[in-house]
Amino acid sequence: MGDSRVRSFPANRNAEGLRFAIVVARFNHPISVRLLRGANETLVGRGAAPDDIEVAWVPGAFEIPQAARALANTERYHAILTLGSVIRGGTPHFDYVCDGVTDGVREVMRDTGIPVAFGVLTTDDVDQALDRAGGAHGNKGVDIALAAIEMARLLPAITSPEKTLGADG
Ligand code: INI
């Protein structure tokens, strides 16, 4: 966009040849499966081979960072996706789980350098979560699959620009 003398890295959302791990929380399972379907369909729709997508289920959102770190440390994946939903109850528990998963995912990304897309819904009620899991407000699984692909393409483009394809190439 704009001045052609300015170097830019165009968004590339082609997932061909990329490997992904998806960590998904079983808590609020009906929401999780909708998010997972959206993420999977988007990765495959963008060219990822189904064999190059691995899914790790964990009990709840609080466990997501630990599994994401273990997966990142294998160095088998170009990006990791995290999916789940935390729904506000009548106690401060919601805040602790939200803090744990957001801080934890950020730390995994910082410590490993591997993109970790954040797809954990944090909502006041189930309806808000359903709206964002294939309902009125789209599907967060789709959004974060695109973010994961884009980041998996961007990082090598920054470090080895000579080997990089153009936008969506
Ligand atoms: N885990 C979630 O993924 N979503 C929630 O809404 C939730 N609530 O409400 O408690 C939740 N709790 C479980 C937590 O993530 C851990 O699995 C548990 O504390 C064991 O470590």
Side-chain angles (χ1 to χ4, degrees), residues 25 27-28 59-63 84-88 93-94 97:
F27 210 101
N28 297 320
F62 196 72
E63 282 72 35
S85 68
V86 194
I87 299 176
R88 192 182 290 280
H93 190 71
F94 172 86
V97 175

Side-chain angles (χ1 to χ4, degrees), residues 44-107:
V44 172
R46 291 281 171 161
D51 282 349
D52 286 338
I53 303 170
E54 294 179 4
V55 178
W57 286 89
V58 295
F62 196 72
E63 282 72 35
I64 286 175
Q66 193 171 26
R69 184 180 292 274
L71 289 160
N73 285 341
T74 68
E75 299 185 359
R76 285 203 303 262
Y77 309 101
H78 295 94
I80 293 172
L81 291 73
T82 60
L83 297 171
S85 68
V86 194
I87 299 176
R88 192 182 290 280
T91 72
H93 190 71
F94 172 86
D95 300 303
Y96 293 111
V97 175
C98 291
D99 286 354
V101 63
T102 50
D103 291 353
V105 166
R106 188 191 60 231
E107 286 162 9

Side-chain angles (χ1 to χ4, degrees), residues 1-2 26 34 37 43 68 71 94 110 117 124 132 144 146 158:
M1 232 173 292
R26 210 163 30 247
R34 287 168 167 79
R37 191 178 310 129
L43 295 177
L71 289 160
F94 172 86
R110 181 195 63 203
D124 288 330
R132 290 158 180 78
I144 74 143
L146 294 173
I158 291 170

